[in-house]
């Protein structure tokens, strides 16, 4: 770095960096730069009794080398209600190069085929229809776990009766941001397929039906059956819900 002796303006040198910052917070450690000592003399007192007093200040000057890309080594994954996938680790784009600046904050934005996805930047948790689904850790790793409570979401969806499982698809972008707003973030795409853990098949057989008077819609009838370990089939007709076991 160079300093203008007349104005005190500090500017970056065009020459290749030869040092690295170690006397700084971990955020900037090993980045190209150095600690500069800026000195000046202040004249205090009246003109007749002027006294020169030296002043100096230490300034950490950094020329960061931020990551130029972001990757988790995977572009798509699937997870069923009640399950979780192994934690996704962020990959260093230049593992052989020391001194690259890693993002310090993370966020995610997703579009959903069913309901709105919201990511809370304060606690780094993503929610689907009010249910926790994604968490990004401080080091950028991603944990995805489909809470059991999501059965309410799938229970409210129109379920096929041919054995196919209902699926919600999230098309996401993960962002890694650097300290200071002047460095643009890096990002990568991630597709998450969230699948129901129950499939329904229409069958006809003789069975003893147990009436469920509290369940007054096809949606609540289906959800109630999937939550009852004794229920293998449900029947809803003319406002009446019944369970069967086979």
């Amino acid at each position: 770095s160079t300093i203008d002796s007349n104005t005190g303006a500090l500017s970056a040198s065009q020459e290749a960096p030869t040092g690295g910052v170690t006397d700084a917070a971990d955020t900037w450690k090993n980045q190209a730069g150095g600690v500069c000592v800026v000195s000046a003399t202040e004249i205090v007192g009246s003109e007749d009794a002027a006294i020169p007093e030296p002043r100096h200040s230490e300034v950490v000057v950094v020329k960061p080398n931020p990551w130029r890309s972001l990757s988790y080594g995977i572009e798509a994954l699937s997870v069923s209600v009640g399950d979780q996938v192994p934690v996704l680790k962020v990959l260093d784009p230049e593992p052989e190069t020391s001194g690259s600046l890693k993002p310090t904050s993370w966020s995610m934005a997703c579009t959903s085929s069913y309901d709105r996805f919201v990511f809370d930047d304060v606690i780094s948790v993503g929610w689907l229809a009010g249910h926790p689904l994604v968490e990004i850790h401080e080091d950028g790793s991603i944990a995805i776990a489909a809470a059991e409570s999501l059965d309410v979401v799938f229970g409210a969806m129109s379920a096929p009766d041919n054995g196919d499982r209902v699926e919600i698809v999230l098309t996401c972008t993960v962002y890694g941001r650097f300290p200071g707003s002047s460095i643009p973030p890096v990002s990568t795409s991630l597709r998450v397929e969230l699948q129901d853990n129950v499939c329904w098949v229409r069958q006809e057989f003789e069975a003893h039906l147990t009436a469920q008077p509290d369940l007054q819609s096809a949606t609540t009838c289906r959800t109630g059956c999937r939550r009852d370990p004794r229920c293998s089939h449900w029947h809803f007709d003319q406002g009446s819900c019944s369970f069967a076991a086979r």
Side-chain angles (χ1 to χ4, degrees):
S1 301
T2 59
I3 187 169
D4 189 311
S5 59
N6 295 319
T7 65
L10 194 65
S11 59
S13 173
Q14 299 302 316
E15 299 178 1
T18 58
V21 177
T22 57
D23 187 18
D26 289 341
T27 299
W28 303 109
K29 193 170 184 179
N30 295 326
Q31 296 300 293
V35 179
C36 301
V37 179
V38 182
S39 301
T41 301
E42 180 183 9
I43 305 300
V44 298
S46 62
E47 294 183 1
D48 297 335
I51 302 174
E53 291 189 2
R55 298 283 189 267
H56 75 274
S57 179
E58 292 185 354
V59 180
V60 177
V61 181
V62 180
K63 188 177 181 181
N65 176 32
W67 281 11
R68 291 170 175 79
S69 62
L70 182 63
S71 174
Y72 288 90
I74 188 173
E75 296 180 354
L77 58 87
S78 62
V79 59
S80 299
V81 173
D83 291 336
Q84 61 184 23
V85 298
V87 174
L88 305 180
K89 298 290 187 179
V90 63
L91 304 180
D92 189 338
E94 302 177 4
E96 298 84 8
T97 304
S98 61
S100 58
L101 180 62
K102 181 179 179 179
T104 56
S105 63
W106 313 84
S107 64
M108 173 183 284
C110 301
T111 58
S112 168
S113 62
Y114 173 72
D115 205 336
R116 192 162 68 102
F117 177 89
V118 177
F119 187 83
D120 190 326
D121 290 315
V122 177
I123 59 176
S124 296
V125 173
W127 308 76
L128 177 65
H131 302 269
L133 179 63
V134 179
E135 181 179 5
I136 304 183
H137 299 155
E138 187 176 354
D139 63 355
S141 58
I142 300 177
I144 300 177
E148 290 281 3
S149 60
L150 281 165
D151 66 349
V152 176
V153 175
F154 284 100
M157 299 174 66
S158 178
D161 56 12
N162 60 357
D164 292 341
R165 289 193 292 175
V166 180
E167 181 179 85
I168 299 174
V169 177
L170 289 87
T171 304
C172 305
T173 302
V174 183
Y175 297 93
R177 293 182 168 82
F178 303 94
S181 58
S182 61
I183 305 176
V186 289
S187 64
T188 188
S189 299
L190 182 64
R191 175 186 170 95
V192 179
E193 298 172 355
L194 179 60
Q195 298 179 333
D196 196 357
N197 61 348
V198 175
C199 58
W200 303 101
V201 179
R202 182 180 294 274
Q203 295 180 325
E204 294 184 5
F205 59 94
E206 293 185 2
H208 173 71
L209 298 179
T210 303
Q212 307 293 322
D214 294 335
L215 306 179
Q216 301 178 357
S217 70
T219 297
T220 57
C221 186
R222 183 170 58 239
T223 300
C225 180
R226 64 184 295 156
R227 290 184 171 182
D228 190 337
R230 298 166 298 180
C231 179
S232 64
H233 296 71
W234 62 277
H235 177 75
F236 189 82
D237 184 48
Q238 297 182 355
S240 176
C241 173
S242 300
F243 290 173
R246 186 178 184 183

